[in-house]
Amino acid sequence: MSRLEAKKPPLFISEPLTRDAVSQSLSVLSGILKSSYGPAGRLKQLHNGVGGCVCTTSQSSALLGHLSVSQPVLRVLTASVRNHVSRFSDCGLFTAILCCGFIENFRSLNVAPFTVIKISKHLLSLCLDHLKSEACGCRVSVDFSSVETLVCLVRSILTSKPACMLNKTEVDHLTSLVLKAFIFTVPCHVETNAVLGKCVIIPVKGRRVVDSTVFPGLLIEMPEIQSGKPLAVKRTGSNVIKIALFSVSMSGDGSNPEEGTVVVHHGISLEVSELNQLLNVGKQLVKDEVGLAVCQKVMHPSLKQYLKENGVIAVDRAGLSVMEPLGRMTGSQPIASIHSLSPCCYGSLKDLCVESFASKHFLHLIPEDTVICSLVLCNRSETAWDELKRACETAEHVLQLTMKEPLALLGGGCTETHLASYIRYKSSSLPGSTFKDLDCSQTQYQLVADGFCRSLESVARSLSHDGEEILTDMVYGHCWFVPSGSPCVSKWSDLVSKCGCGMNDNAEDLSWRFLQGHSGSPVTQGCPKEPSAKAADLLTLDCFTAKCSGLQVALETANLILDLSYIIEDQN
């Protein structure tokens, strides 16, 4: 008889943020995230310690997905950021770094957490109201009749991922491809509830990035197809190619034993019966003038041969990933049973051709109206390709979000320093009724506002990885980087040429000062002005929707963690 172990009582941890282990873990996580941030971010190599895949990355989605976090407080933080990234794809590191900054700066204040939370929510509302106002100096309108701003947006995403190992020529080439692919997914005929299409990424590893290209329609790999030979395909009377899409297995291997018992009468072969049924499906397809049959799973060789002899191109093992875009592109409905075949399930294509890329051969499905496209994505190594795929998917999602809300925010740390300047100005001129409504003193409000601003500025400081000095100007509140090892000069304008986002240059005296660190009294300044120019070559831009959400998620998560008074862990 096995011995029974006495049940252990749960472990109660009071005031978790005061524990050294939690503080140390939070500091380590913050350091990992900050050192990964921006175009010059340092790469991280993650593996599970018992073999398997090694991931080299600086992107938040891969970083947080591979990190093993045991501290309950950090689990809350990482889960919150991962949820943000799953919804918006972008600004994951920004959100995580800012959240760590809020926790670090707020917990050191001699102000009750309940009061800190109320004041910080008010500061957040000031930020969001400013970002959504026409007078905001760090907001850029996106004009979809011109590609200039869209190019800046996509370039900013690609150049911020150093593990992609891209040079300028490759960035320019991929930027144009991502934009072209996105335009393919926009419906030509706008309806009340227009839905954007999809870009399917086709992997080609071991080739140059500039070999990447984009095709309207869908590419399906067919190793057995012969390139160079004309593709004979059956067409209907209206000169279109009819397509049937099967989601059921057509291998003829009988029913799945797990689905129940199959009773077979004496003298009857189940395999022959299955094959006859499949051939009957083939005869029906030929009769209905179907030119292309695509099966998600395996198709019986005899059925493939029969279809080929009757002018029907058969594709099997297409996979689940192409089923949804293929159905949407052709109008076909996946057929889930070989025993019921309805002509209304068929779709149509404009044309079919063979494309060869590297050593691979593809069947190119060309639709009447293009809302689905295929991006053949190349990179020299598997690690760089994986990172590039994530970057291109992020860029596509950001363009979709921008189409819904055609705005962008200045990047390169300028939005963060601009907001910090705005909050410092705004918090110094609030009426007394505000403090009364928040049930706090002016001193408490200023303490929390200063911590809020230092947290924003810590994100901008995280862009520096090589010892650069970071400045902010007193006119626009933008972020400026002074190269490390620069000589001492009397004027900062001799050392800086453009701000972090590229909007402003050193043509005017902007009264630069060092970006405030963890200590030091804040400098009194006026409301940051809106730049006179609204467009410039190669601006660094961030997704408006993703960054606004990241700002909210960072503060709400930090407030949740600050409000924790107990952690209860089951020890059994």
Side-chain angles (χ1 to χ4, degrees):
M1 186 174 178
S2 62
R3 291 185 349 185
L4 295 175
E5 187 178 347
K7 200 170 184 180
K8 298 177 183 177
L11 177 65
F12 289 84
I13 303 172
S14 63
E15 303 301 333
L17 287 182
T18 62
R19 302 296 176 111
D20 290 340
V22 176
S23 299
Q24 188 177 357
S25 298
L26 188 63
S27 177
V28 169
L29 178 64
S30 178
I32 291 171
L33 299 170
K34 286 179 179 180
S35 64
S36 305
Y37 193 49
R42 303 300 189 246
L43 303 184
K44 305 295 177 290
Q45 198 169 73
L46 302 106
H47 57 94
N48 59 16
V50 290
C53 177
V54 175
C55 175
T56 304
T57 186
S58 65
Q59 295 191 45
S60 59
S61 57
L63 206 55
L64 297 178
H66 286 80
L67 273 179
S68 178
V69 179
S70 57
Q71 285 286 350
V73 170
L74 299 193
R75 284 183 185 176
V76 172
L77 194 157
T78 55
S80 184
V81 175
R82 289 180 70 184
N83 182 58
H84 163 83
V85 173
S86 71
R87 293 176 59 212
F88 299 97
S89 297
D90 200 21
C91 297
L93 286 177
F94 162 80
T95 305
I97 294 168
L98 185 58
C99 184
C100 291
F102 283 143
I103 296 170
E104 183 181 350
N105 285 299
F106 288 164
R107 71 175 177 173
S108 61
L109 300 176
N110 190 23
V111 181
F114 180 69
T115 305
V116 170
I117 291 169
K118 283 194 298 182
I119 296 171
S120 64
K121 285 181 178 179
H122 184 260
L123 293 167
L124 175 64
S125 68
L126 291 178
C127 282
L128 294 177
D129 289 345
H130 180 60
L131 291 173
K132 292 173 183 177
S133 71
E134 294 289 336
C136 178
C138 59
R139 197 178 80 164
V140 176
S141 295
V142 178
D143 182 6
F144 275 85
S145 64
S146 169
V147 298
E148 292 176 1
T149 313
L150 298 175
V151 165
C152 292
L153 200 54
V154 175
R155 276 184 61 89
S156 301
I157 292 169
L158 294 178
T159 54
S160 68
K161 318 297 181 192
C164 295
M165 307 293 182
L166 302 176
N167 58 36
K168 184 182 182 302
T169 302
E170 292 167 342
V171 169
D172 291 341
H173 180 67
L174 281 173
T175 298
S176 64
L177 287 186
V178 170
L179 279 174
K180 187 177 179 181
F182 173 71
I183 291 169
F184 274 136
T185 65
V186 179
C188 296
H189 309 292
V190 179
E191 302 172 0
T192 306
N193 296 315
V195 180
L196 294 175
K198 186 176 182 180
C199 174
V200 178
I201 295 178
I202 308 295
V204 177
K205 300 168 187 177
R207 295 293 296 267
R208 301 180 307 159
V209 174
V210 292
D211 291 333
S212 302
T213 188
V214 65
F215 292 94
L218 200 59
L219 294 182
I220 298 179
E221 188 173 358
M222 283 189 70
E224 68 272 19
I225 205 167
Q226 295 181 0
S227 61
K229 292 185 67 176
L231 197 62
V233 58
K234 183 185 291 186
R235 294 177 181 268
T236 63
S238 54
N239 201 34
V240 297
I241 301 167
K242 196 178 284 187
I243 175 174
L245 188 58
F246 292 89
S247 59
V248 66
S249 173
M250 304 181 79
S251 62
D253 57 359
S255 304
N256 188 341
E258 295 178 0
E259 294 178 355
T261 304
V262 178
V263 179
V264 181
H265 294 285
H266 180 69
I268 296 178
S269 169
L270 185 61
E271 289 76 12
V272 172
S273 177
E274 284 276 344
L275 180 57
N276 288 336
Q277 181 62 44
L278 289 172
L279 292 175
N280 287 336
V281 170
K283 292 174 184 177
Q284 185 66 45
L285 294 176
V286 172
K287 180 182 176 183
D288 293 339
E289 297 184 301
V290 170
L292 175 66
V294 179
C295 181
Q296 175 187 334
K297 301 174 183 177
V298 179
M299 189 180 287
H300 197 285
S302 299
L303 176 59
K304 290 179 74 173
Q305 183 63 30
Y306 174 82
L307 293 174
K308 182 181 178 180
E309 291 171 354
N310 287 273
V312 181
I313 297 174
V315 180
D316 67 344
R317 295 182 174 90
L320 180 62
S321 60
V322 303
M323 296 296 284
E324 187 272 330
L326 184 54
R328 182 172 175 191
M329 182 179 80
T330 61
S332 55
Q333 299 174 23
I335 300 167
S337 173
I338 61 173
H339 301 283
S340 58
L341 199 61
S342 172
C344 66
C345 294
Y346 300 146
S348 63
L349 286 170
K350 180 181 178 181
D351 204 0
L352 276 177
C353 64
V354 178
E355 300 286 352
S356 295
F357 211 86
S359 59
K360 297 183 177 182
H361 303 300
F362 298 92
L363 190 64
H364 184 192
L365 283 63
I366 305 170
E368 291 284 349
D369 293 321
T370 303
V371 290
I372 304 295
C373 67
S374 298
L375 173 61
V376 179
L377 191 62
C378 307
N379 212 335
R380 293 168 286 274
S381 67
E382 186 168 353
T383 296
W385 187 89
D386 290 340
E387 194 80 348
L388 186 56
K389 176 178 182 283
R390 284 189 287 264
C392 290
E393 288 172 339
T394 297
E396 182 193 10
H397 194 184
V398 164
L399 289 171
Q400 293 171 349
L401 293 170
T402 305
M403 176 166 264
K404 294 177 183 176
E405 195 166 13
L407 296 168
L409 289 174
L410 300 177
C414 289
T415 291
E416 290 83 350
T417 53
H418 174 90
L419 282 177
S421 299
Y422 175 78
I423 290 298
R424 285 202 171 97
Y425 160 75
K426 199 72 176 173
S427 62
S428 65
S429 57
L430 287 173
S433 58
T434 302
F435 311 125
K436 187 177 180 181
D437 292 341
L438 293 171
D439 193 23
C440 70
S441 67
Q442 185 174 359
T443 302
Q444 288 175 322
Y445 192 95
Q446 289 296 343
L447 284 171
V448 177
D450 187 46
F452 191 96
C453 294
R454 287 204 308 271
S455 302
L456 286 168
E457 290 170 338
S458 73
V459 180
R461 283 196 302 274
S462 301
L463 290 167
S464 171
H465 301 283
D466 297 305
E468 302 100 329
E469 294 286 358
I470 305 180
L471 310 176
T472 184
D473 66 81
M474 303 291 284
V475 178
Y476 303 113
H478 281 215
C479 182
W480 304 72
F481 295 87
V482 180
S484 60
S486 297
C488 295
V489 293
S490 57
K491 292 199 304 181
W492 284 119
S493 57
D494 294 337
L495 293 179
V496 293
S497 56
K498 278 187 176 293
C499 65
C501 69
M503 177 73 79
N504 299 309
D505 57 26
N506 61 357
E508 56 179 316
D509 183 13
L510 299 179
S511 303
W512 289 276
R513 66 172 177 85
F514 285 109
L515 190 64
Q516 187 183 328
H518 289 278
S519 59
S521 57
V523 178
T524 305
Q525 63 185 77
C527 182
K529 294 180 181 178
E530 182 180 359
S532 55
K534 261 301 181 187
D537 292 335
L538 301 181
L539 279 180
T540 300
L541 298 178
D542 290 326
C543 176
F544 179 85
T545 306
K547 200 148 202 177
C548 286
S549 170
L551 182 58
Q552 289 179 274
V553 169
L555 185 69
E556 289 168 1
T557 304
N559 284 343
L560 173 65
I561 291 171
L562 287 166
D563 205 27
L564 288 175
S565 59
Y566 276 97
I567 292 176
I568 305 170
E569 288 188 40
D570 188 0
Q571 298 295 292
N572 297 291

